[in-house]
Amino acid sequence: MPKLSSLKSQKKIPTAFFNIINGGAHADSGLSIQEFQIIPENFKCFSEKLRAASEIYHKLKELLSNSGYSVSVGDEGGFAPKLDSHSEAFEFITRAIEEAGYKGKVSLGIDAAASSFSTLTKTAIH
């Protein structure tokens, strides 16, 4: 077995996932997905990722507010608007990313909390 000290490891900055819209048990939004996230990926350092996430978060707040939605936050800090569908949540997030100037540098993610989608008798995916 090779010595661990002889193995070269590539140094990488952490990839952060930022929760920006809450659903599921963490919010009264009516959305079954627990967290809609953004993932800043193509940046040189963590502080740039954090700045991008903050700018997107504030742009999302502006877009939601201008569309007449509540900008109250859920239990974990994401906005909890009463949207009609998961697609609408992704559309708002994508628009916020683009209008903040980060198209192509930020991906979308979710924490589905899939165990809350079904019981033995019903499925609750919208």
Side-chain angles (χ1 to χ4, degrees), residues 1-83:
M1 178 171 4
K3 291 182 180 181
L4 292 178
S5 63
S6 68
L7 298 176
K8 290 186 178 183
S9 64
Q10 184 179 2
K11 295 180 182 175
K12 296 181 180 180
I13 60 173
T15 297
F17 287 61
F18 295 90
N19 170 24
I20 61 173
I21 292 183
N22 281 11
H26 295 276
D28 186 23
S29 67
L31 300 172
S32 54
I33 290 177
Q34 183 171 300
E35 295 177 0
F36 293 80
Q37 305 165 337
I38 53 172
I39 310 162
E41 296 184 280
N42 300 314
F43 295 88
K44 293 180 183 180
C45 62
F46 186 80
S47 63
E48 289 180 8
K49 291 180 178 193
L50 184 59
R51 181 180 58 233
S54 176
E55 290 175 5
I56 293 165
Y57 183 87
H58 289 286
K59 178 56 74 173
L60 178 62
K61 180 178 183 178
E62 176 186 316
L63 293 172
L64 290 169
S65 180
N66 289 346
S67 295
Y69 289 103
S70 169
V71 290
S72 61
V73 296
D75 292 348
E76 295 187 352
F79 297 111
K82 291 189 182 291
L83 301 173

